[in-house]
Amino acid sequence: MPVLQEFCEQVIHAYNTRHGEKFCELFAFEDQSPIVIALRREMSTMSEIQCEHLIENNLETISNALSEFVISYIKLLNNSINYSLTHVYDFFQAFYNSSIPVFSSADSNYLLPFIKNLSTTLVVFAFHVDKMENLAIKKMKANGAARLLSKVFNIMLADR
């Protein structure tokens, strides 16, 4: 079975069983993670469109938001090697943004540890990019991170 197909099945299982720890494991953003290594190896043999179609075929019947979230993760993995920090951050921010509809769905309390980890990474990454790139105040990545955190915080206030 293709690695990406198996990954989608694991995502479906974690989603259906509401297994927050499995989400943290599946969507780790660590270059040495066995999942990341296997996905990158397989994706190097496929076009981005082929990856998207495979994900959509597996996940859209479960949740469109989940499908878009996984596609954003795959795009992040594809755009995180040999690119500038700003480029990688922009894809990470898009990945974070795509997690919001998944998190705002009914009974998503199990995702709190995952969202907490993702939020921490977003802020740390934003500050790192701002420091390394010496961005102007209006272009600082921390501003975008703050807007996204505000969205998530408002979801927590409204739903929890």
Side-chain angles (χ1 to χ4, degrees):
M1 176 183 302
V3 174
L4 188 53
Q5 173 99 27
E6 185 178 326
F7 180 76
C8 287
E9 289 181 11
Q10 290 179 12
V11 169
I12 291 168
H13 180 72
Y15 183 79
N16 286 337
T17 60
R18 301 191 179 338
H19 198 294
E21 290 175 15
K22 187 67 173 175
F23 258 84
C24 289
E25 178 186 319
L26 288 170
F27 295 101
F29 189 61
E30 300 168 15
D31 285 336
Q32 301 307 314
S33 161
I35 294 170
V36 170
I37 292 169
L39 285 170
R40 281 188 174 139
R41 187 177 308 124
E42 182 171 287
M43 290 183 308
S44 69
T45 66
M46 302 169 70
S47 72
E48 192 170 287
I49 299 295
Q50 288 174 312
C51 292
E52 287 182 27
H53 286 305
L54 194 146
I55 294 165
E56 288 168 349
N57 290 339
N58 283 280
L59 297 175
E60 274 190 341
T61 58
I62 306 297
S63 164
N64 284 333
L66 186 62
S67 176
E68 291 301 317
F69 172 68
V70 173
I71 288 170
S72 290
Y73 181 67
I74 296 305
K75 286 181 178 180
L76 172 62
L77 292 182
N78 274 336
N79 287 279
S80 61
I81 298 177
N82 300 323
Y83 290 98
S84 71
L85 274 178
T86 302
H87 179 84
V88 176
Y89 177 82
D90 290 342
F91 277 89
F92 189 84
Q93 186 175 11
F95 169 62
Y96 185 93
N97 194 38
S98 70
S99 74
I100 295 172
V102 176
F103 179 63
S104 66
S105 64
D107 299 325
S108 62
N109 290 340
Y110 70 98
L111 289 174
L112 281 172
F114 173 71
I115 291 294
K116 178 185 172 276
N117 290 343
L118 199 60
S119 297
T120 300
T121 303
L122 177 74
V123 171
V124 169
F125 196 5
F127 282 135
H128 182 71
V129 171
D130 289 346
K131 182 179 178 183
M132 297 305 289
E133 301 292 329
N134 200 22
L135 298 172
I137 291 176
K138 288 187 176 185
K139 293 184 177 182
M140 292 180 91
K141 300 300 181 181
N143 294 332
R147 281 191 295 278
L148 290 174
L149 289 175
S150 178
K151 280 184 183 180
V152 169
F153 181 71
N154 287 329
I155 290 167
M156 288 181 190
L157 285 177
D159 294 343
R160 282 31 179 200

